Amino acid sequence: MRHDALEGKVALVTGGGTGIGRAAALALAAAGADVAVWGRRPEPLTETAKLVEHAGGRCVALPCDVREPDEVRAALDTVVDRLGDVDVLVNNAGGQFMAPAEEISVNGWRAVHRLSVESAWSVSREVANRSMIPRGSGLIVFMAFSPRRGIPRMVHATAARAALENLAAGLAIDWSRYGIRAVTVAPGTILTEGLEEQYPPDAIDGWTRMVPLGRLGTPDEVAELVAFLATPAGSYITGTTIVVDGGVDAWGNGPIT
């Protein structure tokens, strides 16, 4: 990516302290954008800001619980005051837990959907009304995951991510009159630090064997796609889902030869 491909643009990444969120912030900054990162833990956000600034970019790191509309509005005020109107929004914040479907409580279901769906809508609405609609342009990226089917012990999370995919498609149509694009990026199993910390090696090996390309993806491989979508080269892409999973979604139940 050219170092000036996004010069003059402002990008906001939620869940920007670790993993794909941090990689997206770095990729956007490397292409010339000023970046704001939000998350609940200050320490990872500060580390992301240091990495961006070490690479020569500008970064505003703000603790923000995206589930709380008042915090979203206050944090967005700070971003706009310090960097300017937001051109690119990456809705990356999310969370889930593994449990048999019959053991997922109503509160557990609501917690996942509040963080993954409701907060993504809340942030998108605020950014669109404050920055994108008045200026007649913008890109909103929603992070889902692949395979785009039901996953055992994850029905609450897969349902939430399906809702995000539909939300992106609807906004791409509804807000096209304002020049706003909306795209879902659906990564497969990505080898993040969190994955390595939370799951045993045998589980990771099992997921790796399910990938036709024979390896797990990296955060950078997802992040570079996000940066590309924000450039003029991606300006005709909207209302669709781009899968980054080494072929898992296409494979389905087929054998790997």
Side-chain angles (χ1 to χ4, degrees):
M1 196 77 64
R2 283 179 45 165
H3 67 87
D4 60 350
L6 296 175
E7 186 174 355
K9 301 293 185 181
V10 175
L12 168 60
V13 182
T14 67
T18 59
I20 293 173
R22 173 178 288 178
L26 292 172
L28 290 161
D34 293 329
V35 179
V37 289
W38 292 357
R40 283 182 286 175
R41 295 184 295 145
E43 295 80 6
L45 295 174
T46 299
E47 182 62 26
T48 298
K50 289 179 180 178
L51 292 170
V52 170
E53 290 164 359
H54 180 73
R58 287 205 301 164
C59 184
V60 172
L62 297 171
C64 177
D65 186 343
V66 292
R67 297 171 298 182
E68 301 297 336
D70 289 344
E71 289 194 33
V72 168
R73 285 189 288 269
L76 184 58
D77 285 344
T78 301
V79 172
V80 173
D81 288 345
R82 295 176 61 178
L83 297 178
D85 285 316
V86 175
D87 301 286
V88 180
L89 168 61
V90 183
N91 283 301
N92 176 69
Q96 54 271 326
F97 55 90
M98 297 187 72
E102 67 275 13
E103 295 180 10
I104 299 171
S105 67
V106 171
N107 286 340
W109 179 279
R110 286 173 177 168
V112 168
H113 281 248
R114 185 183 180 203
L115 179 57
S116 298
V117 182
E118 183 179 317
S119 65
W121 164 240
S122 174
V123 176
S124 298
R125 180 181 179 278
E126 289 296 330
V127 170
N129 283 328
R130 175 71 182 266
S131 292
M132 295 181 177
I133 290 175
R135 301 177 70 191
S137 66
L139 167 67
I140 303 175
V141 175
F142 294 89
M143 284 291 173
F145 55 55
S146 176
R148 296 159 66 200
R149 297 181 291 275
I151 301 175
R153 300 172 64 86
M154 294 282 281
V155 298
H156 51 335
T158 54
R161 300 300 176 159
L164 284 181
E165 187 173 16
N166 193 278
L167 174 59
L171 290 180
I173 299 168
D174 209 17
W175 286 350
S176 61
R177 65 188 187 276
Y178 300 121
I180 297 173
R181 295 181 293 124
V183 181
T184 301
V185 173
T189 305
I190 304 299
L191 193 59
T192 62
E193 292 180 2
L195 189 79
E196 293 181 295
E197 291 171 358
Q198 296 174 30
Y199 297 97
D202 59 334
I204 295 175
D205 289 342
W207 293 325
T208 302
R209 289 193 295 271
M210 296 171 63
V211 181
L213 283 183
R215 65 176 179 85
L216 299 185
T218 68
D220 289 344
E221 289 174 315
V222 181
E224 291 296 337
L225 170 62
V226 172
F228 165 78
L229 290 170
T231 69
S235 61
Y236 203 56
I237 300 173
T238 191
T240 192
T241 298
I242 303 176
V243 179
V244 189
D245 69 356
V248 173
D249 195 59
W251 175 32
N253 294 321
I256 295 179
T257 59

